[in-house]
């Protein structure tokens, strides 16, 4: 892998910040070291002294005065060491990446903590995309990704998908405009990466099948592009066993994977993590050094204490409880849809995630129905047009989330929606 060819001039020019390097030394230094280098504030001035956090089983996480001093202080840009090591072992156990034992210069798997996976993805995009670059996505696509990509001036090429995710033949047809060897010629402008949400795609709830992932990965090898695997709903898969990931079949070191704890631990703590080839992860960390400096140390310490207290088995047991909750929520929304929207709309049963993607029959554009009429009836939905690069184009789809509403509220909402649809036809 020639990773240098994927970097923007800005990313290639990044250098290690000497102050951030010093912070890393401080983290590992013996107490005998005299700290005259760092501008870290004296923790004795912090007003917060101790904390006790109660978790779901009644157990507690206790941060004594010494731990609080550390949690409220600057930390390493890549993440605190004990959280990084726990996450690395989690990735090895869940995905068994082929690259885990590769030389560091040849795509060895590395990891960094980010302030939620969205922040990490923005840095990935800014690391790779120059104006005019071609990138591949599958619409409908998470609106946050669209808004992160568009200002970078890239050409966003849509690959057709269905209820089983990206259609490999569609990708193959798009790529046939180039020859495999064109990737070595910058003037040919071959696609730099494919971005996809492989499980519980937001907004559709669709998931890529294992066989399609293998076909897509082979095309990535043939045409030498990266795969950005944005997988915030990986832990919210409703069917077992979980599908193999792109990371698990990545023999080249061409997959950049974004994970998130937002859906299973807390969205407000803003803890995500990016896994990928060491060369590229180092670029992301250099960006962090001069932007956010590091993810919240307090959030990292809290999450790390919880994960070490649980162990991987305890964490996955918690994940199963969360998934069971959302499975029941999904079933309740589907029951309401079957009851009220049968004949008026169509949908596929989501295999993961938090969303149901619904197409209303007989109405080409549901924007007014969802944004005005439904809102007047106190039902909040997202019109489908917001998940396309051209958000001005009419769309018969809308997205309904089953994360927050009660089953009773879902039933009432779809009853009101059904009446509005009938009045609009």
């Amino acid at each position: 892998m020639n990773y240098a060819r994927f970097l923007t001039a800005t990313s290639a020019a990044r250098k290690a910040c000497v102050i951030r390097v010093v912070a890393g030394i401080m983290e590992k230094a013996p107490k005998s070291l005299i700290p005259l280098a760092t501008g870290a504030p004296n923790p004795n001035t912090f007003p917060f002294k101790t904390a006790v956090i109660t978790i779901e089983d009644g157990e507690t996480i206790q941060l004594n005065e010494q731990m609080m001093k550390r949690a409220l202080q600057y930390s390493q840009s890549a993440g605190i060491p004990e959280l990084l090591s726990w996450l690395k072992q989690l990735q090895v156990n869940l995905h068994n990446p082929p690259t885990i034992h590769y030389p560091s210069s040849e795509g060895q798997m590395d990891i960094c903590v980010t302030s939620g996976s969205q922040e990490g993805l923005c840095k990935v995009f800014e690391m790779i995309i120059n104006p005019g670059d071609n990138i591949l996505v599958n619409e409908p696509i998470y609106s946050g990704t669209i808004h992160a990509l568009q200002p970078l001036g890239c050409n966003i090429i849509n690959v057709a998908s269905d209820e089983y995710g990206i259609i490999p033949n569609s990708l193959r047809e798009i790529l046939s405009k180039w020859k495999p060897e064109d990737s070595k010629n910058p003037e040919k402008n071959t696609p730099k990466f494919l971005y996809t949400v492989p499980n519980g795609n937001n907004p559709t709830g669709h998931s890529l099948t294992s066989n399609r992932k293998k076909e897509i990965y082979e095309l990535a090898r043939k045409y030498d592009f990266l795969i950005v695997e944005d997988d915030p709903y990986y832990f919210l898969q409703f069917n077992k066993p979980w599908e193999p990931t792109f990371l698990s079949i990545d023999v080249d070191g061409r997959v950049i994977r974004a994970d998130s704890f937002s859906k299973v631990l807390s969205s407000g703590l803003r803890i995500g993590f990016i896994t990928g080839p060491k060369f590229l992860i180092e670029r992301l960390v250099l960006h962090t050094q001069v932007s956010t400096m590091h993810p919240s140390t307090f959030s990292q310490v809290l999450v790390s204490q919880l994960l070490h207290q649980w162990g991987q088995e305890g964490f996955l047991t918690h994940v199963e409880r969360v998934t069971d909750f959302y499975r029941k929520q999904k079933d309740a929304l589907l029951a309401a849809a079957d009851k009220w929207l049968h004949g008026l709309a169509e949908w596929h049963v989501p295999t993961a995630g938090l969303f149901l993607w619904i197409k209303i029959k007989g109405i080409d554009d549901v924007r007014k129905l969802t944004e005005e009429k439904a809102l007047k009836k106190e039902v909040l939905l997202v019109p489908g047009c917001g998940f396309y690069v051209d958000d001005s184009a009419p769309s018969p789809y809308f997205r309904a989330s089953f994360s927050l509403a009660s089953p009773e509220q879902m039933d009432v909402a779809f009853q009101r929606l059904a009446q509005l649809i009938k009045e609009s036809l």
Side-chain angles (χ1 to χ4, degrees), residues 293-316:
M293 290 181 64
H294 59 80
S296 163
T297 315
F298 184 87
S299 291
Q300 289 186 82
V301 167
L302 184 57
V303 168
S304 180
Q305 291 285 103
L306 175 66
L307 295 176
H308 280 89
Q309 193 164 308
W310 273 348
Q312 280 192 29
E313 186 177 342
F315 168 68
L316 293 175

mmCIF file of all heavy atoms in Angstrom, residues 293-316:
data_model
loop_
_atom_site.group_PDB
_atom_site.id
_atom_site.type_symbol
_atom_site.label_atom_id
_atom_site.label_comp_id
_atom_site.label_asym_id
_atom_site.label_seq_id
_atom_site.Cartn_x
_atom_site.Cartn_y
_atom_site.Cartn_z
ATOM 1 N N MET A 293 -6.858 18.607 20.651
ATOM 2 C CA MET A 293 -5.733 18.213 21.511
ATOM 3 C C MET A 293 -5.843 16.768 21.986
ATOM 4 O O MET A 293 -4.899 16.009 21.917
ATOM 5 C CB MET A 293 -5.559 19.157 22.700
ATOM 6 C CG MET A 293 -5.060 20.528 22.287
ATOM 7 S SD MET A 293 -4.806 21.667 23.652
ATOM 8 C CE MET A 293 -3.495 20.869 24.552
ATOM 9 N N HIS A 294 -7.019 16.388 22.478
ATOM 10 C CA HIS A 294 -7.280 15.002 22.870
ATOM 11 C C HIS A 294 -8.752 14.883 23.212
ATOM 12 O O HIS A 294 -9.401 15.885 23.539
ATOM 13 C CB HIS A 294 -6.413 14.577 24.068
ATOM 14 C CG HIS A 294 -6.615 15.428 25.288
ATOM 15 N ND1 HIS A 294 -7.686 15.265 26.147
ATOM 16 C CD2 HIS A 294 -5.887 16.457 25.807
ATOM 17 C CE1 HIS A 294 -7.604 16.146 27.130
ATOM 18 N NE2 HIS A 294 -6.523 16.885 26.936
ATOM 19 N N PRO A 295 -9.318 13.677 23.131
ATOM 20 C CA PRO A 295 -10.691 13.502 23.607
ATOM 21 C C PRO A 295 -10.736 13.770 25.119
ATOM 22 O O PRO A 295 -9.712 13.702 25.796
ATOM 23 C CB PRO A 295 -11.001 12.026 23.308
ATOM 24 C CG PRO A 295 -9.951 11.592 22.340
ATOM 25 C CD PRO A 295 -8.750 12.419 22.618
ATOM 26 N N SER A 296 -11.917 14.079 25.625
ATOM 27 C CA SER A 296 -12.080 14.373 27.049
ATOM 28 C C SER A 296 -11.424 13.303 27.921
ATOM 29 O O SER A 296 -11.770 12.121 27.838
ATOM 30 C CB SER A 296 -13.574 14.450 27.394
ATOM 31 O OG SER A 296 -13.769 14.355 28.791
ATOM 32 N N THR A 297 -10.471 13.720 28.741
ATOM 33 C CA THR A 297 -9.813 12.757 29.640
ATOM 34 C C THR A 297 -10.811 12.191 30.635
ATOM 35 O O THR A 297 -10.794 10.990 30.933
ATOM 36 C CB THR A 297 -8.649 13.427 30.397
ATOM 37 O OG1 THR A 297 -7.870 14.215 29.505
ATOM 38 C CG2 THR A 297 -7.762 12.386 31.057
ATOM 39 N N PHE A 298 -11.706 13.034 31.149
ATOM 40 C CA PHE A 298 -12.687 12.571 32.128
ATOM 41 C C PHE A 298 -13.567 11.476 31.523
ATOM 42 O O PHE A 298 -13.784 10.429 32.134
ATOM 43 C CB PHE A 298 -13.556 13.731 32.626
ATOM 44 C CG PHE A 298 -14.523 13.336 33.704
ATOM 45 C CD1 PHE A 298 -14.147 13.349 35.044
ATOM 46 C CD2 PHE A 298 -15.811 12.921 33.382
ATOM 47 C CE1 PHE A 298 -15.032 12.960 36.035
ATOM 48 C CE2 PHE A 298 -16.706 12.532 34.363
ATOM 49 C CZ PHE A 298 -16.321 12.555 35.698
ATOM 50 N N SER A 299 -14.073 11.711 30.304
ATOM 51 C CA SER A 299 -14.910 10.714 29.639
ATOM 52 C C SER A 299 -14.142 9.416 29.422
ATOM 53 O O SER A 299 -14.671 8.316 29.630
ATOM 54 C CB SER A 299 -15.407 11.239 28.291
ATOM 55 O OG SER A 299 -16.336 12.292 28.468
ATOM 56 N N GLN A 300 -12.875 9.553 29.005
ATOM 57 C CA GLN A 300 -12.067 8.355 28.766
ATOM 58 C C GLN A 300 -11.823 7.569 30.046
ATOM 59 O O GLN A 300 -11.932 6.333 30.062
ATOM 60 C CB GLN A 300 -10.728 8.748 28.156
ATOM 61 C CG GLN A 300 -10.791 9.240 26.728
ATOM 62 C CD GLN A 300 -9.407 9.449 26.177
ATOM 63 O OE1 GLN A 300 -8.745 8.508 25.739
ATOM 64 N NE2 GLN A 300 -8.951 10.691 26.198
ATOM 65 N N VAL A 301 -11.503 8.266 31.117
ATOM 66 C CA VAL A 301 -11.258 7.594 32.392
ATOM 67 C C VAL A 301 -12.517 6.883 32.866
ATOM 68 O O VAL A 301 -12.482 5.725 33.307
ATOM 69 C CB VAL A 301 -10.758 8.597 33.453
ATOM 70 C CG1 VAL A 301 -10.812 7.985 34.870
ATOM 71 C CG2 VAL A 301 -9.331 9.047 33.137
ATOM 72 N N LEU A 302 -13.654 7.567 32.765
ATOM 73 C CA LEU A 302 -14.914 6.981 33.204
ATOM 74 C C LEU A 302 -15.249 5.721 32.395
ATOM 75 O O LEU A 302 -15.581 4.668 32.955
ATOM 76 C CB LEU A 302 -16.038 8.013 33.064
ATOM 77 C CG LEU A 302 -17.430 7.609 33.558
ATOM 78 C CD1 LEU A 302 -17.389 7.214 35.024
ATOM 79 C CD2 LEU A 302 -18.424 8.739 33.328
ATOM 80 N N VAL A 303 -15.141 5.817 31.069
ATOM 81 C CA VAL A 303 -15.432 4.671 30.210
ATOM 82 C C VAL A 303 -14.429 3.547 30.450
ATOM 83 O O VAL A 303 -14.794 2.364 30.531
ATOM 84 C CB VAL A 303 -15.442 5.097 28.728
ATOM 85 C CG1 VAL A 303 -15.448 3.886 27.807
ATOM 86 C CG2 VAL A 303 -16.646 5.991 28.444
ATOM 87 N N SER A 304 -13.155 3.908 30.583
ATOM 88 C CA SER A 304 -12.123 2.900 30.813
ATOM 89 C C SER A 304 -12.344 2.153 32.130
ATOM 90 O O SER A 304 -12.225 0.923 32.194
ATOM 91 C CB SER A 304 -10.737 3.554 30.806
ATOM 92 O OG SER A 304 -9.732 2.591 31.021
ATOM 93 N N GLN A 305 -12.674 2.891 33.183
ATOM 94 C CA GLN A 305 -12.944 2.250 34.475
ATOM 95 C C GLN A 305 -14.116 1.271 34.350
ATOM 96 O O GLN A 305 -14.073 0.162 34.893
ATOM 97 C CB GLN A 305 -13.274 3.323 35.523
ATOM 98 C CG GLN A 305 -12.111 4.212 35.922
ATOM 99 C CD GLN A 305 -11.126 3.499 36.839
ATOM 100 O OE1 GLN A 305 -10.069 3.082 36.403
ATOM 101 N NE2 GLN A 305 -11.481 3.361 38.099
ATOM 102 N N LEU A 306 -15.154 1.699 33.635
ATOM 103 C CA LEU A 306 -16.325 0.841 33.458
ATOM 104 C C LEU A 306 -15.954 -0.423 32.675
ATOM 105 O O LEU A 306 -16.319 -1.541 33.071
ATOM 106 C CB LEU A 306 -17.413 1.611 32.702
ATOM 107 C CG LEU A 306 -18.678 0.819 32.332
ATOM 108 C CD1 LEU A 306 -19.446 0.418 33.578
ATOM 109 C CD2 LEU A 306 -19.565 1.623 31.392
ATOM 110 N N LEU A 307 -15.237 -0.260 31.574
ATOM 111 C CA LEU A 307 -14.903 -1.401 30.723
ATOM 112 C C LEU A 307 -13.969 -2.381 31.421
ATOM 113 O O LEU A 307 -14.115 -3.605 31.287
ATOM 114 C CB LEU A 307 -14.280 -0.909 29.413
ATOM 115 C CG LEU A 307 -15.211 -0.096 28.503
ATOM 116 C CD1 LEU A 307 -14.453 0.419 27.283
ATOM 117 C CD2 LEU A 307 -16.420 -0.912 28.074
ATOM 118 N N HIS A 308 -13.015 -1.856 32.166
ATOM 119 C CA HIS A 308 -12.119 -2.747 32.913
ATOM 120 C C HIS A 308 -12.859 -3.453 34.047
ATOM 121 O O HIS A 308 -12.571 -4.609 34.369
ATOM 122 C CB HIS A 308 -10.917 -1.968 33.458
ATOM 123 C CG HIS A 308 -9.843 -1.721 32.437
ATOM 124 N ND1 HIS A 308 -9.823 -0.612 31.626
ATOM 125 C CD2 HIS A 308 -8.768 -2.465 32.084
ATOM 126 C CE1 HIS A 308 -8.770 -0.669 30.827
ATOM 127 N NE2 HIS A 308 -8.115 -1.781 31.085
ATOM 128 N N GLN A 309 -13.823 -2.764 34.640
ATOM 129 C CA GLN A 309 -14.625 -3.373 35.700
ATOM 130 C C GLN A 309 -15.504 -4.489 35.130
ATOM 131 O O GLN A 309 -15.643 -5.554 35.736
ATOM 132 C CB GLN A 309 -15.499 -2.295 36.357
ATOM 133 C CG GLN A 309 -16.147 -2.702 37.679
ATOM 134 C CD GLN A 309 -16.648 -1.482 38.450
ATOM 135 O OE1 GLN A 309 -15.886 -0.540 38.672
ATOM 136 N NE2 GLN A 309 -17.895 -1.491 38.853
ATOM 137 N N TRP A 310 -16.096 -4.251 33.976
ATOM 138 C CA TRP A 310 -16.947 -5.244 33.318
ATOM 139 C C TRP A 310 -16.142 -6.373 32.698
ATOM 140 O O TRP A 310 -16.560 -7.526 32.739
ATOM 141 C CB TRP A 310 -17.757 -4.574 32.205
ATOM 142 C CG TRP A 310 -19.053 -3.974 32.637
ATOM 143 C CD1 TRP A 310 -19.703 -4.148 33.828
ATOM 144 C CD2 TRP A 310 -19.883 -3.096 31.850
ATOM 145 N NE1 TRP A 310 -20.872 -3.433 33.838
ATOM 146 C CE2 TRP A 310 -21.011 -2.788 32.643
ATOM 147 C CE3 TRP A 310 -19.780 -2.560 30.578
ATOM 148 C CZ2 TRP A 310 -22.035 -1.951 32.185
ATOM 149 C CZ3 TRP A 310 -20.784 -1.734 30.127
ATOM 150 C CH2 TRP A 310 -21.898 -1.430 30.924
ATOM 151 N N GLY A 311 -15.020 -6.016 32.039
ATOM 152 C CA GLY A 311 -14.341 -6.959 31.165
ATOM 153 C C GLY A 311 -15.113 -7.070 29.856
ATOM 154 O O GLY A 311 -16.243 -6.586 29.749
ATOM 155 N N GLN A 312 -14.514 -7.717 28.866
ATOM 156 C CA GLN A 312 -15.188 -7.817 27.568
ATOM 157 C C GLN A 312 -16.500 -8.577 27.670
ATOM 158 O O GLN A 312 -17.492 -8.220 27.025
ATOM 159 C CB GLN A 312 -14.268 -8.482 26.548
ATOM 160 C CG GLN A 312 -13.241 -7.532 25.976
ATOM 161 C CD GLN A 312 -12.522 -8.099 24.768
ATOM 162 O OE1 GLN A 312 -13.080 -8.897 24.032
ATOM 163 N NE2 GLN A 312 -11.281 -7.689 24.571
ATOM 164 N N GLU A 313 -16.525 -9.626 28.490
ATOM 165 C CA GLU A 313 -17.746 -10.410 28.626
ATOM 166 C C GLU A 313 -18.867 -9.560 29.217
ATOM 167 O O GLU A 313 -20.013 -9.602 28.757
ATOM 168 C CB GLU A 313 -17.491 -11.640 29.507
ATOM 169 C CG GLU A 313 -18.678 -12.589 29.580
ATOM 170 C CD GLU A 313 -18.386 -13.833 30.400
ATOM 171 O OE1 GLU A 313 -17.201 -14.134 30.634
ATOM 172 O OE2 GLU A 313 -19.346 -14.504 30.818
ATOM 173 N N GLY A 314 -18.545 -8.767 30.218
ATOM 174 C CA GLY A 314 -19.548 -7.897 30.828
ATOM 175 C C GLY A 314 -20.031 -6.831 29.868
ATOM 176 O O GLY A 314 -21.226 -6.503 29.836
ATOM 177 N N PHE A 315 -19.090 -6.278 29.081
ATOM 178 C CA PHE A 315 -19.479 -5.278 28.086
ATOM 179 C C PHE A 315 -20.437 -5.868 27.065
ATOM 180 O O PHE A 315 -21.476 -5.271 26.744
ATOM 181 C CB PHE A 315 -18.233 -4.719 27.387
ATOM 182 C CG PHE A 315 -18.543 -3.906 26.159
ATOM 183 C CD1 PHE A 315 -19.191 -2.679 26.260
ATOM 184 C CD2 PHE A 315 -18.211 -4.379 24.890
ATOM 185 C CE1 PHE A 315 -19.498 -1.932 25.120
ATOM 186 C CE2 PHE A 315 -18.503 -3.644 23.758
ATOM 187 C CZ PHE A 315 -19.149 -2.418 23.877
ATOM 188 N N LEU A 316 -20.123 -7.051 26.546
ATOM 189 C CA LEU A 316 -20.971 -7.674 25.532
ATOM 190 C C LEU A 316 -22.311 -8.116 26.112
ATOM 191 O O LEU A 316 -23.328 -8.127 25.404
ATOM 192 C CB LEU A 316 -20.241 -8.846 24.884
ATOM 193 C CG LEU A 316 -19.014 -8.439 24.038
ATOM 194 C CD1 LEU A 316 -18.266 -9.670 23.541
ATOM 195 C CD2 LEU A 316 -19.411 -7.544 22.870
#
